[in-house]
Amino acid sequence: MLREQDVGHRIVVRRRVGVRGGRPVYSDALGELVELSETHLTLTTRQGRLRVPIAEVHRAKRVPAARRPTAAAMIELELAADEAWPAPVRARLGDWLLRAADGWTGRANSALPVGDPDRPLPAALDAVQRWYAGHGRPAMVNTPLPLAAPVGAELDRRGWGSRPPVLVQTAPLAALLAATSDEAIPAATGVPDLSRDPGDTTGRPAGPGGTADAGGAVVELAGAPSADWLAVAAGRKGGLPDAARHVLTAVDHIRFAHVYLDGGLVAVGRGTVTGQGRWLGLCLVEVLPAARRQGLAVRLIRALADWAAEAGATDAFLQVEQSNAGAVALYRKLGFTTHHTYLTRIAPR
């Protein structure tokens, strides 16, 4: 049967759909697993989204991806993502990265095991635990899958826990620009809450980097976050220690999106260009509850995509929890597909 680690991967499901002549009738479905719960599994197929009750599943298994990313492609993207979310305390263990940021977010406080750690795997994981103990933090390891599957197997053997799976999704920037054009924006309204991960008014004129639309929304891009922007991020992430401000701002090519409606800040987001200028990284896209279902997230993403295209980027990526169905649905409409997944593993206490 399937496990959480299979989310974001291609699967085949055989399910019971009825009885004929006293014998069960089965139907097969092939697609990407986007959600797995105790009662249902959901996959996207060529015909659309399919939600299957677990009680109807006769057999389900992961199958090889139609085009699995190479190890080199996964490493390139993981390093671009690390560059976009820079922990203030860093060290190397061979090619592996060790990162700490006062406990603010799993990404900035976990080892990234890509490449060669210059020692046997068990010894490398022992060294990871010593490093985090020396910094007064619990040891965590971010395991991109399937690249770091051997690391995950060793952590399973050691009894490490796991946070919910995260989808690392990508889209060509040209496709993202087309999907967020003025003609396409109405199709994306009505998509629910984006606020979990992995973030306009006629009365407020558009400032530098700001654009207004017919609905009165204004999107402003700035090189630094406003106090209101930081307040939204603090509310979402449970505070902003000094290390968090470093993670948020210590990137050479960065923009903070502010969306205003009727004079108030109603949506925020962050965009970076990393990976030798190739990748637009989208994160912390959040629309406040009272302003949702108006397409503001799409307008915000469009502004960041325009900026990144002008900077020479050619592709976009984001990280989203597989359980955040609203965000996954929106990003699918915008052309994002799952490149790979990752699990944040946590050492037993």
Side-chain angles (χ1 to χ4, degrees):
M1 191 56 185
L2 300 171
R3 302 178 299 166
E4 283 192 346
Q5 290 92 325
D6 297 312
V7 172
H9 292 270
R10 197 164 176 245
I11 65 166
V12 62
V13 177
R14 171 161 290 187
R15 59 189 179 115
R16 290 178 290 271
V17 294
V19 177
R20 183 181 303 149
R23 303 181 65 179
V25 177
Y26 298 99
S27 176
D28 293 339
L30 177 69
E32 180 183 316
L33 180 65
V34 295
E35 187 175 5
L36 179 65
S37 71
E38 294 181 358
T39 59
H40 289 79
L41 63 83
T42 303
L43 65 159
T44 55
T45 71
R46 289 184 178 180
Q47 291 73 39
R49 190 179 181 92
L50 178 64
R51 191 166 187 257
V52 181
I54 295 296
E56 294 180 3
V57 176
H58 174 66
R59 186 177 302 162
K61 65 178 182 179
R62 189 191 296 188
V63 296
R67 292 194 309 171
R68 177 175 295 179
T70 64
M74 290 184 65
I75 291 172
E76 177 196 349
L77 183 48
E78 283 294 325
L79 294 179
D82 171 72
E83 186 184 346
W85 200 253
V89 179
R90 305 169 67 84
R92 284 195 173 272
L93 188 69
D95 294 329
W96 288 17
L97 296 175
L98 308 177
R99 308 171 293 188
D102 292 341
W104 195 75
T105 75
R107 278 182 286 165
N109 289 273
S110 57
L112 181 61
V114 297
D116 184 357
D118 286 343
R119 65 204 72 195
L121 179 55
L125 293 174
D126 290 341
V128 168
Q129 290 194 264
R130 289 194 299 271
W131 189 86
Y132 281 98
H135 287 80
R137 304 300 313 171
M140 296 196 296
V141 176
N142 186 323
T143 55
L145 299 172
L147 178 69
V151 177
E154 176 65 17
L155 296 177
D156 287 340
R157 190 186 68 78
R158 295 178 177 221
W160 284 46
S162 176
R163 289 184 176 177
V166 174
L167 309 181
V168 181
Q169 300 195 314
T170 62
L173 195 54
L176 181 59
L177 290 168
T180 54
S181 65
D182 290 342
E183 295 77 13
I185 283 176
T189 51
V191 175
D193 180 14
L194 300 179
S195 61
R196 288 168 34 208
D197 150 24
D200 311 275
T201 175
T202 52
R204 179 187 178 107
T211 59
D213 61 46
V218 171
V219 183
E220 294 184 359
L221 301 185
S226 68
D228 287 344
W229 194 105
L230 290 171
V232 173
R236 175 174 173 178
K237 294 292 189 182
L240 291 178
D242 289 342
R245 294 174 184 267
H246 182 279
V247 172
L248 287 172
T249 62
V251 181
D252 289 338
H253 302 290
I254 190 167
R255 288 295 182 271
F256 295 86
H258 305 66
V259 182
Y260 296 95
L261 191 62
D262 296 333
L265 183 68
V266 294
V268 300
R270 176 180 177 271
T272 55
V273 173
T274 59
Q276 298 183 330
R278 174 183 176 182
W279 292 100
L280 163 64
L282 295 168
C283 70
L284 294 174
V285 176
E286 181 165 2
V287 180
L288 300 187
R292 289 173 187 157
R293 301 182 180 274
Q294 300 180 51
L296 298 181
V298 180
R299 292 178 169 87
L300 180 157
I301 290 169
R302 172 61 192 232
L304 291 171
D306 280 335
W307 163 74
E310 291 178 2
T314 58
D315 297 276
F317 78 90
L318 54 85
Q319 298 165 327
V320 58
E321 285 189 7
Q322 63 89 11
S323 60
N324 190 349
V328 171
L330 172 61
Y331 297 139
R332 184 178 301 113
K333 287 184 177 181
L334 299 185
F336 283 91
T337 58
T338 298
H339 187 272
H340 63 276
T341 64
Y342 75 74
L343 292 174
T344 299
R345 307 298 302 271
I346 306 168
R349 295 184 181 276

